[in-house]
Amino acid sequence: MINLANFSSIFIANWKLNGNIDFIKHYYQKLTTNNKNCVVVCSPSIYLNALKIDSKNMFRGAQDVSVYREGAYTGELSAEMLEDNNINFCLVGHSERRQYFSENNETVKLKSLNLIETNIIPVICIGETLKEKETNQTKEVLIKQINESVPNISNSKNTIIAYEPIWAIGTGLTPTLEDIDEVHDFIKRIDKRFNTFKVLYGGSVKTSNSSDIVALKNVDGCLIGGASLKVDEFNSIIS
Ligand code: PGA
């Protein structure tokens, strides 16, 4: 398993359902990283082996994994298969998967467990809807998501948490810096075992806001969607 303690910040690109071979060639010709930060690219699974890994701080991540280990489950990819292909990270419970593919806390927990057992770091995504925020339910929602989706064997070395307010994803809206820091602090204090977890922020991260967000005391990096598809912008975010 990758030693997360080696890095000051973690930046994860979530390409979602985007990219192709030409895009990847162009992207990796221009992608530049320094050794301080951990950089993970989560492309669609079929392209993971086309991603170049030529520096000690660059890794590949999947966007999802099966709850099943093997068997008659057409279309699925298991944690063992990801491990077999040297995939080091996997997003789990992204809000788009929860919304469009019926992912729930129970499946997120099972998937995370399978990943940890195969030495892949799950990036467990949590976050509130706009309605939940407006009705002051954010903390309650996060407690439930954390308690129900983080396996007991999770610790700061084998699991990452990503806080992604759903209303901030792909909208250009973000919480205030104070709110981001406060929520991250809250997440780390839901239980003392979470104190040392890496907690990433995601939701409309771009060049213009990334350095302020990453500088926050309780933020350990970012999960970046739309802006990670523009390699120049991603380079400036991770630099
Ligand atoms: P965004 O997406 O950066 O485009 O808001 C973030 C995510 O979905 O992980």
Side-chain angles (χ1 to χ4, degrees):
M1 198 167 268
I2 303 302
N3 185 355
L4 297 174
N6 287 342
F7 305 104
S8 43
S9 297
I10 301 165
F11 294 95
I12 304 183
N14 176 13
W15 287 4
K16 309 188 183 189
L17 190 57
N18 296 291
N20 56 43
I21 292 290
D22 280 347
F23 173 86
I24 290 168
K25 270 191 206 137
H26 174 252
Y27 197 91
Y28 276 82
Q29 270 160 12
K30 296 187 92 181
L31 182 63
T32 49
T33 65
N34 60 46
N35 284 326
K36 267 186 8 226
N37 298 324
C38 172
V39 175
V40 183
V41 175
C42 300
S43 70
S45 296
I46 195 157
Y47 294 124
L48 284 169
N49 280 327
L51 307 184
K52 254 200 312 185
I53 301 299
D54 53 8
S55 96
K56 279 201 208 112
N57 64 324
M58 278 177 52
F59 304 97
R60 295 175 298 165
Q63 296 176 16
D64 185 34
V65 65
S66 179
V67 285
Y68 301 108
R69 309 293 286 246
E70 64 175 350
Y73 303 105
T74 303
E76 292 288 87
L77 280 180
S78 70
E80 284 82 355
M81 291 169 186
L82 296 178
E83 188 207 16
D84 211 18
N85 283 276
N86 300 313
I87 307 305
N88 303 105
F89 295 84
C90 182
L91 305 180
V92 198
H94 188 282
S95 63
E96 287 150 14
R97 297 227 44 100
R98 292 179 189 260
Q99 185 181 352
Y100 305 125
F101 303 96
S102 314
E103 194 96 288
N104 57 39
N105 291 337
E106 195 188 337
T107 52
V108 171
K109 188 176 189 171
L110 262 172
K111 290 178 176 193
S112 302
L113 192 61
N114 287 349
L115 290 164
I116 294 167
E117 285 176 356
T118 45
N119 290 318
I120 298 170
I121 297 178
V123 180
I124 301 178
C125 304
I126 57 171
E128 81 285 0
T129 62
L130 188 57
K131 188 160 172 237
E132 287 161 347
K133 177 186 161 57
E134 286 172 347
T135 50
N136 288 323
Q137 292 179 77
T138 300
K139 290 184 175 169
E140 202 181 304
V141 167
L142 296 179
I143 291 176
K144 185 170 163 61
Q145 287 177 333
I146 291 253
N147 284 340
E148 293 181 6
S149 54
V150 179
N152 293 337
I153 63 164
S154 276
N155 59 45
S156 60
K157 296 194 174 80
N158 64 21
T159 301
I160 292 174
I161 291 172
Y163 169 57
E164 296 204 298
I166 295 168
W167 52 271
I169 296 177
T171 59
L173 303 171
T174 53
T176 63
L177 292 172
E178 291 72 25
D179 283 352
I180 294 174
D181 206 38
E182 196 206 318
V183 173
H184 281 230
D185 178 53
F186 174 77
I187 290 169
K188 292 183 186 204
R189 287 189 294 105
I190 286 178
D191 185 289
K192 70 173 183 312
R193 78 189 181 105
F194 300 127
N195 283 348
T196 54
F197 270 55
K198 303 270 189 204
V199 181
L200 313 186
Y201 170 78
S204 295
V205 174
K206 42 189 185 264
T207 315
S208 56
N209 60 18
S210 60
S211 49
D212 287 340
I213 293 172
V214 172
L216 295 169
K217 182 168 170 280
N218 295 296
V219 175
D220 302 293
C222 293
L223 177 52
I224 306 129
S228 75
L229 292 168
K230 299 173 205 132
V231 65
D232 293 333
E233 177 144 18
F234 191 56
N235 275 338
S236 99
I237 292 171
I238 65 182
S239 64

